Amino acid sequence: MASDWIGCLVSIHCGPTLGVYQGEVSSVDQTSQTISLRLPFHNGVKCTVPEVTFSAMDIKDIKILEIRKSSTEVPKQNGPDSSSTLTPHGGRKDKGGGAPGNSAPLTVPNKTEPKTQEGGVSPVPHYSKRSSSCRGPNQATPKKNGLKNGGHMKNKDDECFGDGMEDVLDEDFDFEGNLALFDKAAVFSQIDSSERRGNGARSRGTPGEQTPSRYRHDENILEAKPVVYRQITVPQNGTKEYSTDSGLVVPSISFELHKRLLAAAESHGLSLERRLEMTGVCASQMALTLLGGPNRLTPKNVHQRPTVTLLCGPHVQGAQGISCGRHLANHEVEVILFLPNFVKMLEAITSELALFGKTGGKLVSNVKDLPETPVDLVINCLDSHENGFLREQPWYKAAADWANQNRAPVLSIDPPVSGQAHAVEAKWSLSLGLPLPVSEDAGRVYLCDIGIPRQVFQEVGIKYHSPFGCKFVIPLHSV
């Protein structure tokens, strides 16, 4: 009868789509041909619903895992109670589960062990120690021993967790009972009393009491002393001041003090060649960032290599631009260097040109050879701090006009101080060491570290503490 199924632990195979369900039979409906499982498991995982009902049309196979009936009487198939059987749709039966056939009824066998397929392997894993809290008090964990390729196959739980799993307790952890052991009021009372003795800020703010400060994830809460934002002082008064992103004040210096600083650095071994190399590295790093950085310069983007034009003059600033162009060319950037022909040039320019010629970059001496279409970036190194008469030269005016008409953004390296006319309007300007008081048409000011030690700053009367942090190029904001 249908009541003989109640309480049995069964495994129902519903095909590859629905999977395998296991649980205790709670009801069997003979009329609608359905069976319900209480506390079901789906593919070895406990279901979130307390009961699941299956139709005979969805059932491919049913296996009895355990019979919890005290009676060992098995209902007959060909008797008056044969109408109480459940017919799985398209399912098959194992030995002892009824007559074979697609429409043969399935009855309760008189066995207490799970049925196995050919080869002795159970089709689905049964309740293991990981789900021991859902087993009944009298339910035993079935053992599964089978053969695979002629050899013995161990239980999956034994392979993963070893032999010590039998010692695990079957009882669930009592969270409510354990939480009841925690005396919340007594603990907070003890915290309050200790804070009053130490005159500390209360951790739980109440009306009338001081609440602790809130910190961001990137703020240091263990400050031993207040932060000093003016860590650089210069001997002049009334100079232009800037600030970094972190709030540090960076004052500007005059060109005369800037020359004294470079002369002191050179006397200690920081030669012009070393300064040119540092300036070239920092300027090229900033230019690569402006060109798009890793989003633009990738091996998959070789057909769209950025193009940079450098406008250089016959002075130290021009040598700095040539050094920057060499590093850009080494990073797969199309570099076009403009430098007019001169009978006599600085030794630094000659050595930098020799190195630039090894990179494959293009060198032009006439403005007519510059690109007619807009380039990605123009780097301006035409101006000199000491020789202002170059602005009257035809080559200078022609190069400045080309830069203003090219419609490309301009980066100016070591621009002249304010008061001197800027023939090329720049979007960014890069100062060296400490900024000079440049005019507003120099664009946004950046500062690069050229490696001058702190004691060299002190020799010229500058109290200096590095504002660069972990970077070599930082932006400056007007104060």
Side-chain angles (χ1 to χ4, degrees):
M1 299 178 63
S3 59
D4 294 331
W5 289 80
I6 307 300
C8 295
L9 293 179
V10 298
S11 175
I12 300 179
H13 194 288
C14 298
T17 303
L18 298 179
V20 179
Y21 288 83
Q22 296 173 327
E24 180 183 343
V25 178
S26 59
S27 64
V28 176
D29 193 335
Q30 306 175 37
T31 305
S32 59
Q33 285 287 289
T34 58
I35 183 171
S36 300
L37 300 185
R38 188 175 67 87
L39 302 177
F41 279 74
H42 180 218
N43 293 333
V45 180
K46 187 177 181 180
C47 299
T48 58
V49 295
E51 190 177 59
V52 177
T53 302
F54 303 89
S55 175
M57 299 295 294
D58 299 327
I59 299 174
K60 304 300 180 183
D61 192 11
I62 300 179
K63 292 190 178 298
I64 308 297
L65 301 180
E66 183 179 349
I67 299 177
R68 293 186 177 179
K69 292 293 183 177
S70 59
S71 175
T72 60
E73 180 181 358
V74 181
K76 300 181 180 179
Q77 296 181 6
N78 299 324
D81 297 331
S82 60
S83 59
S84 62
T85 58
L86 184 67
T87 305
H89 177 72
R92 65 172 181 80
K93 299 186 179 183
D94 292 326
K95 187 183 298 182
N102 293 337
S103 61
L106 186 65
T107 59
V108 181
N110 187 15
K111 291 186 179 181
T112 58
E113 296 183 359
K115 295 189 176 184
T116 57
Q117 295 177 353
E118 295 181 1
V121 181
S122 179
V124 293
H126 187 46
Y127 305 91
S128 63
K129 281 293 182 178
R130 289 171 292 176
S131 59
S132 58
S133 60
C134 300
R135 296 200 305 266
N138 299 325
Q139 180 181 351
T141 303
K143 303 295 183 179
K144 289 184 274 189
N145 295 322
L147 299 177
K148 184 177 182 180
N149 296 331
H152 293 280
M153 185 179 66
K154 295 178 63 178
N155 192 317
K156 292 183 180 180
D157 289 344
D158 294 338
E159 293 178 356
C160 297
F161 303 101
D163 298 333
M165 292 303 296
E166 296 295 336
D167 298 332
V168 180
L169 297 179
D170 291 343
E171 298 180 359
D172 289 338
F173 181 77
D174 188 3
F175 288 96
E176 296 183 358
N178 186 70
L179 183 61
L181 300 177
F182 175 66
D183 193 347
K184 185 176 180 181
V187 172
F188 279 111
S189 177
Q190 183 179 2
I191 294 175
D192 293 340
S193 60
S194 62
E195 289 178 348
R196 293 190 184 97
R197 287 194 301 267
N199 294 326
R202 294 174 59 89
S203 60
R204 295 181 294 113
T206 57
E209 295 181 349
Q210 183 180 3
T211 58
S213 302
R214 295 183 178 272
Y215 297 93
R216 299 195 310 269
H217 68 281
D218 57 345
E219 289 184 317
N220 184 13
I221 64 174
L222 301 178
E223 294 181 357
K225 55 184 179 180
V227 178
V228 178
Y229 290 100
R230 189 175 294 274
Q231 300 179 358
I232 303 175
T233 57
V234 294
Q236 301 104 340
N237 294 325
T239 57
K240 188 174 182 179
E241 291 185 341
Y242 300 91
S243 66
T244 64
D245 290 339
S246 58
L248 296 177
V249 178
V250 180
S252 62
I253 58 176
S254 63
F255 178 67
E256 290 75 14
L257 183 59
H258 182 72
K259 290 194 301 181
R260 289 171 49 199
L261 177 62
L262 296 182
E266 190 166 355
S267 65
H268 287 281
L270 191 62
S271 61
L272 175 61
E273 290 77 12
R274 300 180 69 176
R275 298 200 308 270
L276 289 177
E277 191 68 17
M278 282 295 299
T279 304
V281 170
C282 293
S284 61
Q285 185 181 31
M286 179 178 177
L288 291 173
T289 303
L290 296 176
L291 291 172
N295 297 325
R296 181 78 181 276
L297 299 168
T298 60
K300 298 181 180 180
N301 199 25
V302 292
H303 63 288
Q304 292 180 338
R305 294 171 58 186
T307 303
V308 176
T309 300
L310 288 107
L311 307 178
C312 300
H315 38 64
V316 175
Q317 285 71 29
Q320 293 171 352
I322 300 174
S323 176
C324 174
R326 169 167 55 90
H327 289 289
L328 289 176
N330 290 337
H331 287 264
E332 304 298 328
V333 177
E334 293 284 351
V335 178
I336 303 174
L337 175 61
F338 168 78
L339 181 65
N341 289 325
F342 293 94
V343 177
K344 184 178 180 180
M345 290 189 296
L346 295 175
E347 182 180 357
I349 293 181
T350 303
S351 59
E352 289 294 336
L353 280 178
L355 288 175
F356 177 79
K358 306 299 182 180
T359 62
K362 184 178 180 181
L363 176 63
V364 298
S365 58
N366 195 324
V367 178
K368 296 181 180 180
D369 297 328
L370 292 175
E372 298 180 358
T373 58
V375 295
D376 294 278
L377 181 66
V378 174
I379 299 180
N380 177 27
C381 300
L382 295 173
D383 296 299
S384 173
H385 296 291
E386 298 177 338
N387 190 358
F389 297 101
L390 293 177
R391 298 184 179 89
E392 304 298 330
Q393 299 292 329
W395 61 267
Y396 181 97
K397 294 181 179 179
D401 292 339
W402 177 90
N404 292 327
Q405 296 174 4
N406 190 260
R407 296 179 297 175
V410 178
L411 168 62
S412 181
I413 299 178
D414 197 11
V417 297
S418 59
Q420 300 182 11
H422 288 201
V424 180
E425 184 177 356
K427 188 175 183 179
W428 308 281
S429 295
L430 183 63
S431 298
L432 312 180
L434 284 177
L436 297 174
V438 296
S439 58
E440 295 296 334
D441 55 357
R444 185 175 182 181
V445 180
Y446 284 76
L447 184 66
C448 75
D449 183 10
I450 57 176
I452 302 178
R454 181 187 300 182
Q455 292 185 0
V456 177
F457 284 98
Q458 295 177 357
E459 288 186 9
V460 296
I462 300 176
K463 180 183 176 183
Y464 180 82
H465 185 80
S466 175
F468 292 97
C470 62
K471 301 179 180 179
F472 282 87
V473 179
I474 58 174
L476 297 180
H477 311 279
S478 299
V479 177

